[in-house]
Amino acid sequence: MIKHHPKFELIQAFVNGELPASLSAGIAIHADMCPVCQQKIAQFTDQVAEVSFEEQYLDRFIVDSVTADSKTAADSLDDSTEIDFEQMIAGIVKSPAEVSVPKVEKTIEFKGQRYKLPTALNNMALSKTAHIGKLSRTRLQLNEGEIHTSLLRIEPGGGVPEHTHKGFELTVLLAGSFHDESGDYNEGDFIMLDSSHQHHPISTEGCLCYTVANDALHFTQGINKLLNPIGSLIY
Amino acid sequence: MQTNLLSKPTNDKSSHMSDKINHPQLCQWLQSVAQNRDQQAFTHLFKFFAPKILRIARGKFPNEAQANEVVQDTMSNVWRKAHLFNQDKGAVTTWVYTVMRNITFDMLRKIQGNKEDNLSDDIWPIAESMSTESDAFDDHLENKALLSVIDKLPQSQQDVVKGFYLREMSQEQLAKHLNLPLGTVKSRLRLALGKLKVQLGEKYD
């Protein structure tokens, strides 16, 4: 039973394509396991699409963007773009239909334990796995500056030493379970923590997590700027 | 909810959509592209979507060439991937939005992170939408023989069987959904199962 879900502000930013790949993938992985969020995403996508492609939406922008001209705003837009568009159509219809390739299921192995890789991670480059005690970690090389994304495997009985984060730390539990001072977490849980959280996760039966964390040192720039519109995410 | 819009009959043949999106018309065009590679239908779709995509892209990319690239790539994918659109999963606007958002995401990532890894279609699949229906479908009915047998049932019984087994709706939900008394749903389900058993024989018991 999934108990922890992304906030709606995060789902909105996800649908709008405004989140970095690391967080987008985290939400996609969660939604794959969570029908409730899946439905929220589907509904919100329908709404955003409807609004994006409504005529009024377009009209509003035409009025804003067209400078003084003897023609009406709408005519001017058509004139300036029509020729390009005709060429574009002619070029596009020459291309053949895409042959769809069925998605290949990928797996990842940690010390003999094999896991199915979530589809969202299928084309992400993986680094070599580092082992520290009962922890194994593989970085996903997303090249997002201070945001670090990993697959973290905790062997049965293992845990992560008590820590806090000056930035944020997202954990999506892919398999197994763990617990900390706040409670138990199960497969599919989407756990977003910030600096106010101090925790010491322990996994009795072992688990695999997808984690995204940022480097606190640079928090006031990069990611913070990105997350400002959804500031309530970090409370 | 979008599927309800789509299933409404197309009475209004006018292609001029003043204040509301003509979803059945868009759907007809896209299906004509998917099935017949219909260039004229594509031109209609292009004229509906391209100016709007251009406006949206201009808000995300200061460079006009990049905004044009979003239009080019999005409409190109609409043409090439039209067969992946499934009207049962949502409206054409939703599908085109997904294609556009994915193109934009990969382009921004290329510009900002200098990564050409094109992750968007893994994060937001455009073929199978993120719906439990398809999962439930695969789990229970990988066997095409079973599906073809269900398709031979009377429509009223098909609705109940598909709702109950493929969409995993309860009998109560189905009664509400189909606007039928609960008893009718139960008896149709029983009748349908009887027929399926006869058709499929013992091994599916």
Side-chain angles (χ1 to χ4, degrees):
Chain A
M1 179 70 188
I2 298 175
K3 284 183 291 192
H4 302 271
H5 306 269
K7 291 187 146 204
F8 193 65
E9 290 86 341
L10 210 50
I11 285 181
Q12 282 178 309
F14 168 77
V15 168
N16 291 334
E18 291 162 359
L19 294 176
S22 50
L23 291 177
S24 301
I27 292 173
I29 294 168
H30 168 78
D32 252 359
M33 298 189 261
C34 175
V36 177
C37 289
Q38 227 170 76
Q39 205 195 349
K40 277 188 198 166
I41 290 166
Q43 279 178 354
F44 188 69
T45 309
D46 280 344
Q47 284 171 21
V48 171
E50 183 88 12
V51 170
S52 298
F53 298 132
E54 264 171 11
E55 294 291 336
Q56 277 97 344
Y57 181 78
L58 180 62
D59 291 345
R60 207 165 55 229
F61 277 81
I62 292 169
V63 172
D64 286 350
S65 65
V66 174
T67 48
D69 197 305
S70 57
K71 296 170 184 174
T72 67
D75 283 348
S76 168
L77 174 77
D78 285 348
D79 277 7
S80 65
T81 52
E82 197 163 27
I83 300 161
D84 292 337
F85 279 180
E86 293 298 336
Q87 273 182 353
M88 216 183 252
I89 293 171
I92 287 171
V93 295
K94 283 186 200 137
S95 56
E98 189 185 79
V99 180
S100 36
V101 185
K103 282 195 173 150
V104 186
E105 196 168 283
K106 293 190 180 178
T107 60
I108 183 164
E109 194 177 307
F110 291 97
K111 293 186 179 174
Q113 176 81 38
R114 190 163 282 278
Y115 295 98
K116 181 194 173 298
L117 199 65
T119 323
L121 312 182
N122 260 359
N123 286 298
M124 293 184 185
L126 300 172
S127 73
K128 273 190 191 166
T129 306
H131 301 281
I132 314 126
K134 291 190 171 185
L135 300 177
S136 307
R137 189 207 64 199
T138 299
R139 282 244 194 267
L140 294 153
Q141 293 166 328
L142 291 173
N143 208 16
E144 291 181 327
E146 69 270 19
I147 305 176
H148 292 153
T149 305
S150 316
L151 286 168
L152 181 71
R153 147 94 172 141
I154 306 179
E155 283 172 45
V160 180
E162 186 150 340
H163 64 286
T164 58
H165 283 269
K166 284 184 187 162
F168 71 87
E169 179 198 49
L170 167 68
T171 305
V172 183
L173 191 41
L174 303 178
S177 65
F178 72 82
H179 62 270
D180 67 8
E181 294 80 351
S182 312
D184 298 323
Y185 304 93
N186 296 299
E187 276 174 26
D189 272 334
F190 183 99
I191 308 139
M192 184 64 97
L193 299 179
D194 66 22
S195 55
S196 66
H197 297 88
Q198 185 168 11
H199 75 149
H200 178 201
I202 295 169
S203 182
T204 312
E205 53 157 333
C207 66
L208 179 68
C209 301
Y210 172 81
T211 67
V212 183
N214 66 341
D215 184 334
L217 286 177
H218 299 291
F219 185 60
T220 50
Q221 290 139 29
I223 182 66
N224 190 40
K225 230 165 127 188
L226 188 68
L227 291 177
N228 272 340
I230 46 165
S232 52
L233 160 73
I234 300 166
Y235 29 75
Chain B
M1 46 174 188
Q2 294 297 352
T3 45
N4 289 339
L5 279 172
L6 289 168
S7 59
K8 276 185 201 158
T10 320
N11 295 323
D12 180 15
K13 294 275 179 193
S14 155
S15 64
H16 182 71
M17 291 156 241
S18 53
D19 56 347
K20 205 177 157 225
I21 296 173
N22 189 340
H23 288 284
Q25 178 67 79
L26 292 177
C27 194
Q28 195 189 316
W29 285 332
L30 187 54
Q31 285 185 325
S32 193
V33 170
Q35 288 155 18
N36 311 317
R37 313 304 296 150
D38 182 339
Q39 299 193 5
Q40 194 173 0
F42 179 72
T43 304
H44 286 307
L45 284 173
F46 193 100
K47 289 192 168 158
F48 178 84
F49 283 110
K52 293 162 187 163
I53 294 169
L54 185 62
R55 289 283 160 208
I56 295 164
R58 278 175 178 160
K60 304 225 175 199
F61 298 91
N63 180 328
E64 186 70 13
Q66 288 165 343
N68 282 338
E69 201 178 326
V70 173
V71 179
Q72 163 83 40
D73 290 358
T74 302
M75 293 314 297
S76 189
N77 276 355
V78 168
W79 171 254
R80 292 171 55 236
K81 300 181 184 205
H83 57 287
L84 299 178
F85 168 72
N86 179 350
Q87 69 162 329
D88 297 335
K89 299 272 173 69
V92 172
T93 42
T94 304
W95 189 73
V96 175
Y97 175 83
T98 302
V99 173
M100 173 185 73
R101 191 256 331 273
N102 288 9
I103 293 282
T104 306
F105 182 87
D106 286 336
M107 266 180 65
L108 282 172
R109 202 171 142 68
K110 196 159 97 185
I111 295 163
Q112 290 162 0
N114 203 21
K115 290 284 265 187
E116 297 198 34
D117 40 13
N118 298 329
L119 303 173
S120 65
D121 285 350
D122 291 328
I123 295 170
W124 299 278
I126 60 165
E128 66 274 63
S129 79
M130 300 216 290
S131 151
T132 41
E133 275 179 38
S134 66
D135 293 343
F137 207 85
D138 287 341
D139 287 346
H140 297 294
L141 288 171
E142 279 173 345
N143 192 327
K144 281 185 182 165
L146 182 51
L147 255 186
S148 71
V149 174
I150 291 177
D151 281 334
K152 285 181 193 132
L153 292 170
Q155 190 61 47
S156 59
Q157 291 174 18
Q158 274 188 41
D159 292 344
V160 179
V161 170
K162 287 183 177 173
F164 191 72
Y165 287 102
L166 306 187
R167 296 189 185 166
E168 295 180 326
M169 295 169 87
S170 70
Q171 296 186 347
E172 288 76 14
Q173 283 172 324
L174 267 173
K176 208 173 159 193
H177 180 71
L178 299 170
N179 200 18
L180 290 168
L182 182 58
T184 309
V185 169
K186 286 184 174 172
S187 63
R188 280 185 190 173
L189 195 56
R190 203 166 48 236
L191 268 172
L193 291 184
K195 284 188 194 166
L196 289 177
K197 267 190 186 169
V198 173
Q199 296 264 359
L200 294 163
E202 295 288 302
K203 64 176 178 165
Y204 282 93
D205 274 359

